[in-house]
Amino acid sequence: MPRFLALFFIAACLNQAASADQGETVSFGGSTMGTTYSVKIHVVADTPSLARMQDVQIGVDGVLRNVNDQMSTYLKSSEISRFNQSQTTEWFDVSPEFAGVVETAQRISEQTDGAFDVTVGPLVNAWNFGPDQRTGKVPDDAAIEALRQSTGYQNLAVRTDPPAIKKAIAALQIDLSAIAKGHGSDRVVEYLNTEGFPDVFVEIGGEVRTSGSKSGQWWKVGIQTPDAATDAWTVAHALSTGSGNDNAMATSGDYRNFFEADGIRYSHTIDPRTGRPIQHDLASVSVVAAKCVDADAWATALNVLGPVDGLEVAKRENISALLISRTADGFARAGSGAMAQYATDADPATSSTARPQSAAGSPWATMAISTIAFGTILFLMAIGVIFGRRAISGSCGGLANKTNPDGSTACGLCSNPADACKELRERMQSSESKQSTS
């Protein structure tokens, strides 16, 4: 499933001014999996490891070529292409890495009831987002239903010992493009760690995995506002925080890869459960996980599920995710886990794009209940003032109705922030102290 990769990177820019005696960040990159990759390695300056960088880059290219040989549908000789071309429904031997990725994909398919499905490739292609030439035409219902007969994660089986996969129907094909880049990032980080480089930042087509730091300064990744016109970032999140939990981040969005026909905008993200492009206000999903292969797959799965069900599943499965939705005023952010700190919106279930509410939970019912409760409180407070001859104490902490040195009362600050009340309280106490000593 093709995906647009919404991350942009500030890791190399932030704190780039680290002094030479604190180390040096070496960068290189190239092409892989139909996109680009970037590697940053932080090393202590003037160490022998710097002289090895050319060999290290050759090693990284070798790791990525191996991933392509296993999982690229563009290579006819790859494991995945040979499996797709085969008509057998018997076990098909694959590499341990290949079986591991398929096992991860199947696990997430089950956890999302099929919102993530690596067998959806033929439908993606029918909707003009696959390897075939784009026609710009919308497939008819009959074509979609016919293709759905040859898809479905339930028709795919995997085992890891010995590693093999098996299809229940001969026409079944799989496409790992929604998860292979994350897996590739994991493989490169593991290779670099094995080669003696603990402080690395690896990105493949927007999917990021890090380890260590830059002389104690954490690698950070920026999440872009899902607006193709601005290219602005909205959040900078530190993936490694020194707790020994190095993390990865992947993003799935729909604001760059789409096509329009008869005035309708069609997203490149296909819902495997319907065979059609997703239709909701969710513009992008960023997921943080220990492994990039998981972050990659979950970002797509939550994007398919949408702003309400996606957030619900993320919370249920303890997934750290940031969901950015389009609103009438721009964008709203909702989050779970470590990404909840960046939320700007209430739970999407209560937003304007959420499901219809029951009468009991309607805004009118809430307004009526609030009005009655507020009126009752005012009535009881008035009774207390009339019969008790005492000032009303409120959120000002007893300052209410007290007279300020300038003749005004403190009630006007009850609706102000606590800092304002605190400042007033200090000024009044200071004034009273001066009067008592004069």
Side-chain angles (χ1 to χ4, degrees):
M1 181 184 298
R3 301 173 47 202
F4 175 71
L5 311 167
L7 296 178
F8 76 105
F9 307 99
I10 60 175
C13 301
L14 295 175
N15 307 315
Q16 187 65 40
S19 59
D21 59 347
Q22 289 182 317
E24 179 179 353
T25 300
V26 180
S27 305
F28 59 84
S31 301
T32 185
M33 304 183 199
T35 184
T36 60
Y37 80 85
S38 171
V39 172
K40 304 180 190 303
I41 304 174
H42 191 74
V43 295
V44 177
D46 301 327
T47 64
S49 58
L50 283 172
R52 298 174 51 207
M53 283 303 153
Q54 185 173 2
D55 292 337
V56 170
Q57 182 169 4
I58 292 173
V60 168
D61 286 333
V63 170
L64 295 175
R65 279 199 304 272
N66 186 245
V67 175
N68 267 319
D69 288 341
Q70 295 168 336
M71 306 176 197
S72 173
T73 55
Y74 291 89
L75 297 177
K76 292 183 178 179
S77 60
S78 67
E79 291 183 27
I80 192 171
S81 292
R82 289 188 286 110
F83 173 74
N84 287 340
Q85 294 161 8
S86 73
Q87 296 296 306
T88 180
T89 55
E90 301 297 323
W91 284 107
F92 186 94
D93 293 339
V94 296
S95 62
E97 295 85 0
F98 189 102
V101 170
V102 174
E103 185 180 47
T104 298
Q106 291 295 89
R107 170 172 51 82
I108 296 176
S109 294
E110 294 173 357
Q111 290 174 286
T112 58
D113 291 328
F116 185 78
D117 191 335
V118 294
T119 72
V120 77
L123 286 163
V124 174
N125 195 43
W127 281 99
N128 297 280
F129 298 111
D132 292 353
Q133 185 174 3
R134 295 189 176 190
T135 64
K137 297 181 180 178
V138 176
D140 58 38
D141 293 345
I144 293 173
E145 290 307 312
L147 289 171
R148 292 188 67 193
Q149 300 305 311
S150 60
T151 64
Y153 74 95
Q154 302 91 338
N155 296 314
L156 178 67
V158 57
R159 73 185 185 197
T160 56
D161 188 19
I165 58 177
K166 182 171 68 172
K167 44 182 148 182
I169 51 179
L172 187 78
Q173 297 188 5
I174 61 175
D175 186 339
L176 301 177
S177 58
I179 191 172
K181 290 188 291 294
H183 169 73
S185 297
D186 289 334
R187 293 266 292 269
V188 172
V189 169
E190 290 162 5
Y191 164 77
L192 292 172
N193 290 167
T194 302
E195 290 294 311
F197 300 100
D199 303 311
V200 300
F201 176 102
V202 175
E203 170 265 328
I204 300 177
E207 322 303 22
V208 179
R209 170 82 182 270
T210 67
S211 74
S213 66
K214 295 179 296 179
S215 298
Q217 299 175 12
W218 314 124
W219 300 106
K220 291 185 178 180
V221 178
I223 299 174
Q224 192 174 24
T225 300
D227 184 348
T230 62
D231 279 338
W233 61 275
T234 184
V235 166
H237 182 74
L239 288 183
S240 304
T241 56
S243 59
N245 298 320
D246 296 325
N247 281 318
M249 179 186 289
T251 294
S252 176
D254 72 342
Y255 56 99
R256 290 186 188 273
N257 195 2
F258 61 89
F259 79 96
E260 293 184 349
D262 298 327
I264 300 175
R265 184 177 186 272
Y266 294 97
S267 167
H268 79 284
T269 302
I270 307 300
D271 188 339
R273 301 167 300 178
T274 64
R276 291 169 168 76
I278 57 175
Q279 291 184 331
H280 50 60
D281 293 327
L282 188 56
S284 75
V285 180
S286 297
V287 172
V288 173
K291 290 186 176 180
C292 202
V293 66
D294 292 304
D296 200 0
W298 273 112
T300 297
L302 299 182
N303 192 27
V304 169
L305 288 167
V308 177
D309 292 344
L311 185 61
E312 180 180 323
V313 170
K315 291 179 177 178
R316 184 192 73 199
E317 300 295 338
N318 296 318
I319 304 296
S320 293
L322 182 67
L323 293 79
I324 304 179
S325 299
R326 298 183 182 87
T327 69
D329 301 324
F331 298 98
R333 303 194 301 248
S336 62
M339 304 300 277
Q341 61 183 308
Y342 305 119
T344 59
D345 191 23
D347 194 316
T350 62
S351 71
S352 59
T353 59
R355 298 162 175 164
Q357 293 180 315
S358 65
S362 70
W364 292 110
T366 302
M367 183 180 297
I369 294 172
S370 299
T371 301
I372 294 172
F374 185 66
T376 302
I377 293 172
L378 283 180
F379 175 76
L380 294 175
M381 292 175 73
I383 293 297
V385 170
I386 292 171
F387 294 98
R389 297 180 179 278
R390 298 178 60 185
I392 300 174
S393 295
S395 59
C396 288
L399 286 174
N401 282 345
K402 288 190 175 181
T403 303
N404 303 331
D406 59 3
S408 63
T409 60
C411 276
L413 287 179
C414 284
S415 61
N416 285 355
D419 287 344
C421 287
K422 180 175 182 296
E423 180 182 353
L424 175 61
R425 195 159 45 238
E426 291 173 347
R427 282 195 288 114
M428 292 182 67
Q429 290 173 348
S430 176
S431 176
E432 291 172 355
S433 175
K434 290 179 180 177
Q435 290 175 357
S436 63
T437 57
S438 62

